[in-house]
């Protein structure tokens, strides 16, 4: 009887073979993965930079999807099923971050373009109000301002915000509509010569000039959400490492 016939494959051998195949898959992607990491380190959350970086972000997302699919296609022995589950969760989370950043890079320039008329709307309102003492003229100026705010809110409504930024996007639209409603109230109050109503509407409208723009808030929300997801990736990476150590010790 030869030595080969005496050899029996053990659970440790099966698990080791699985880990080696997973490592080989990652090594095949090593060069491309390095490029992915560089894309994320250099990515800037500004409309101009987002447009410039969009092709690289899309390429990075495709690379991470291909890697996740490759890992999913590696069959695992029963003893490594928990490790496989954690590995897939780890790679899926990275893929999710990549696709969300692609969405952010598409969204930010669209948001900036949609809200650009706000500067002109604010300037026109200020110029008209300071250039006329006529109540009718002031009422017309405020009414025109309400129309412009409504147009911007409708333009924003037509933009598909990424899930990452959907809450801030919807809040921004609600805020603009609230300002438009306040402007219409002010128009009515001016025409009615109702000083108390004028004062109340003016107080609401002051927030329109002071509130941060949607693009600024979107960038801030994206940074917070991105950091939370990166933290989740680190947690999943630690879970993978703990499971590998457990298998090493128990098999």
């Amino acid at each position: 009887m030869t030595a080969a016939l005496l050899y029996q494959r053990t659970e440790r051998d099966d698990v080791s073979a699985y880990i080696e195949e997973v490592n080989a898959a990652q090594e095949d992607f090593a060069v491309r993965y390095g490029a992915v990491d560089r894309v994320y380190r250099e990515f800037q959350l500004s409309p101009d930079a987002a447009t410039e970086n969009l092709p690289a972000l899309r390429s990075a997302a495709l690379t991470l999807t291909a890697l996740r699919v490759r890992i999913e296609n590696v069959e695992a022995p029963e003893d490594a099923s928990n490790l496989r589950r954690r590995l897939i969760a780890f790679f899926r989370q990275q893929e999710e971050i990549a696709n969300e950043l692609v969405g952010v890079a598409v969204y930010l320039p669209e948001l900036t373009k949609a809200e650009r008329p706000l500067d002109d709307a604010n300037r026109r309102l200020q110029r008209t109000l300071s250039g006329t003492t006529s109540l009718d003229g002031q009422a017309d100026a405020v009414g025109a301002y309400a129309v412009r705010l409504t147009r911007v809110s409708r333009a924003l409504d037509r933009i598909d915000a990424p899930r990452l930024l959907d809450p801030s996007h919807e809040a921004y639209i609600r805020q603009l509509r609230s300002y438009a409603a306040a402007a219409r109230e002010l128009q009515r109050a001016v025409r009615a010569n109702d000083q108390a109503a004028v004062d109340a509407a003016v107080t609401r409208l002051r927030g329109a000039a002071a509130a941060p723009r949607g693009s600024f808030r979107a960038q801030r929300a994206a940074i917070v959400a991105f950091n939370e997801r990166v933290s989740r990736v680190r947690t999943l990476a630690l879970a993978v490492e703990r499971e590998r150590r457990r298998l090493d010790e128990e098999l």
Side-chain angles (χ1 to χ4, degrees), residues 135 187-198:
L135 289 181
Q187 181 185 30
R188 288 191 292 270
V190 168
R191 284 190 170 147
N193 201 17
D194 183 343
Q195 190 59 48
V198 167

Side-chain angles (χ1 to χ4, degrees), residues 27-245:
E27 286 171 9
D28 288 346
F29 279 83
V31 174
R32 291 166 66 188
Y33 202 78
V36 168
D37 183 60
R38 186 169 61 255
V39 166
Y40 295 137
R41 281 189 282 106
E42 295 175 355
F43 178 61
Q44 297 176 22
L45 281 168
S46 70
D48 292 340
T51 299
E52 183 180 339
N53 292 336
L54 185 56
L57 287 169
R58 281 186 168 137
S59 176
L62 289 172
T63 295
L64 289 170
T65 296
L67 178 56
R68 188 262 306 162
V69 170
R70 174 86 175 266
I71 297 300
E72 281 187 334
N73 287 333
V74 178
E75 293 186 13
E78 185 177 346
D79 290 299
S81 60
N82 196 36
L83 174 60
R84 179 179 183 275
R85 179 179 60 77
R86 293 184 179 185
L87 274 167
I88 291 172
F90 170 69
F91 288 112
R92 192 176 291 282
Q93 180 69 14
Q94 292 191 82
E95 179 188 10
E96 184 177 327
I97 290 173
N99 286 316
E100 285 182 334
L101 282 182
V102 168
V104 170
V106 170
Y107 168 74
L108 281 179
E110 292 181 349
L111 171 63
T112 301
K113 181 180 178 181
E115 70 179 2
R116 195 168 291 139
L118 288 175
D119 286 334
D120 182 58
N122 287 326
R123 281 194 299 268
R124 285 192 185 194
L125 178 64
Q126 293 300 324
R127 187 168 60 245
T128 306
L129 289 180
S130 39
T132 180
T133 56
S134 161
L135 289 181
D136 285 340
Q138 291 177 348
D140 288 343
V142 172
Y145 183 63
V147 169
R148 293 186 181 99
L149 290 180
T150 300
R151 283 176 185 162
V152 173
S153 70
R154 286 174 181 165
L156 291 171
D157 236 347
R158 292 191 290 270
I159 297 173
D160 289 326
R163 187 180 63 177
L164 189 72
L165 298 178
D166 194 56
S168 72
H169 184 77
E170 291 302 318
Y172 189 34
I173 292 173
R174 286 194 301 271
Q175 185 183 52
L176 286 177
R177 286 177 176 160
S178 174
Y179 292 153
R184 286 190 291 270
E185 287 173 12
L186 180 56
Q187 181 185 30
R188 288 191 292 270
V190 168
R191 284 190 170 147
N193 201 17
D194 183 343
Q195 190 59 48
V198 167
D199 292 342
V202 166
T203 298
R204 285 183 65 187
L205 275 173
R206 278 181 182 148
R213 279 297 171 82
S215 51
F216 172 80
R217 288 185 293 184
Q219 291 171 46
R220 186 173 56 190
I223 290 169
V224 171
F226 179 72
N227 288 341
E228 289 174 353
R229 282 155 176 72
V230 168
S231 177
R232 172 68 175 153
V233 166
R234 293 188 185 121
T235 300
L236 290 169
L238 289 173
V240 167
E241 189 54 35
R242 280 196 301 270
E243 183 61 13
R244 276 181 169 165
R245 281 202 218 103

